[in-house]
Amino acid sequence: MFTGIVETVGKVEEINQNGTNVDFCVSSPISDELKIDQSVSHNGVCLTVTKVDKGKHWVTAIDETIKKSNIGFVKVGDNFNLERCMKADGRFDGHIVQGHVDTTAEVVSIKDENGSWLFTFKLEEEGLVVEKGSVCINGTSLTCFNVDKKTFSVAIIPYTFEYTNFNQLAVGSVVNIEFDIIGKYIHLILNRK
């Protein structure tokens, strides 16, 4: 389980196709602290560490993950937002995040608000986003507003802009979306026949 509070960014050093899987080599300030078989959020996708060596770690994305997330668009030199699993005695500074991406969304506008940035995203289908509710975008816990059937906005403060990969996003970029798990369960219960 994660909280959507990004610890650091990791730079993609290598990408290798391995059958239908894709292996990523990532360098980051926390790579040497990771352990093999540890779960780490990469842009909101929970991936298992398969190797650690000299400031780098390796993870594998299966075909299903590549199809459901923006992992297939990642290139060498791109940055992943990274977060290790929450400790049992940790605080929820964000919200409950599982690392299970529900869908992707496209950046449709970025507006400089003179001290923050207003990002607007468009979903392919109507999503489980509510006004002033939580959403996880590329592994970052954020509050959404200006919610419409397929669009919503978030405000990015300078700290988040500097210390996540939001500073690499442009109009047309594809991001990972994980809807709030509580909202997903409520939606499921209310729509059961």
Side-chain angles (χ1 to χ4, degrees):
M1 185 184 332
F2 307 96
T3 67
I5 302 301
V6 174
E7 282 187 73
T8 190
V9 293
K11 183 178 178 183
V12 178
E13 302 288 351
E14 295 175 32
I15 302 173
N16 297 302
Q17 192 77 34
N18 186 1
T20 59
N21 299 336
V22 177
D23 298 324
F24 295 90
C25 172
V26 181
S27 62
S28 80
I30 64 170
S31 290
D32 281 332
E33 300 172 31
L34 302 178
K35 295 180 176 30
I36 292 172
D37 208 29
Q38 183 174 1
S39 295
V40 178
S41 172
H42 292 69
N43 276 2
V45 179
C46 179
L47 297 173
T48 302
V49 175
T50 58
K51 180 180 174 183
V52 177
D53 186 41
K54 297 176 185 169
K56 297 177 183 175
H57 69 275
W58 284 255
V59 291
T60 299
I62 64 170
D63 189 50
E64 177 73 5
T65 302
I66 294 161
K67 288 177 182 172
K68 294 246 170 135
S69 71
N70 71 359
I71 296 288
F73 299 110
V74 172
K75 303 178 299 299
V76 170
D78 286 352
N79 286 337
F80 277 128
N81 289 333
L82 301 177
E83 180 189 359
R84 288 175 279 192
C85 289
M86 180 181 165
K87 293 182 178 180
D89 63 348
R91 287 190 171 96
F92 275 107
D93 290 327
H95 71 281
I96 299 171
V97 176
Q98 295 183 297
H100 303 158
V101 171
D102 292 301
T103 190
T104 57
E106 181 182 346
V107 178
V108 291
S109 73
I110 302 170
K111 185 176 178 187
D112 188 334
E113 294 281 320
N114 192 24
S116 63
W117 290 264
L118 180 70
F119 282 74
T120 301
F121 299 92
K122 182 177 182 183
L123 299 160
E124 286 185 21
E125 299 176 0
E126 190 172 344
L128 297 175
V129 184
V130 296
E131 192 76 17
K132 302 294 189 256
S134 296
V135 67
C136 188
I137 303 173
N138 271 3
T140 309
S141 174
L142 295 162
T143 302
C144 34
F145 56 93
N146 294 339
V147 175
D148 201 354
K149 286 186 177 182
K150 292 187 180 180
T151 62
F152 66 94
S153 299
V154 297
I156 303 297
I157 62 172
Y159 182 89
T160 304
F161 190 80
E162 182 177 352
Y163 291 101
T164 68
N165 64 13
F166 270 83
N167 57 39
Q168 293 185 331
L169 298 180
V171 171
S173 292
V174 175
V175 297
N176 292 326
I177 302 290
E178 181 180 333
F179 301 121
D180 180 36
I181 186 64
I182 297 169
K184 289 194 285 189
Y185 276 115
I186 292 170
H187 183 264
L188 176 68
I189 291 166
L190 292 177
N191 286 285
R192 279 193 173 149
K193 294 183 178 183

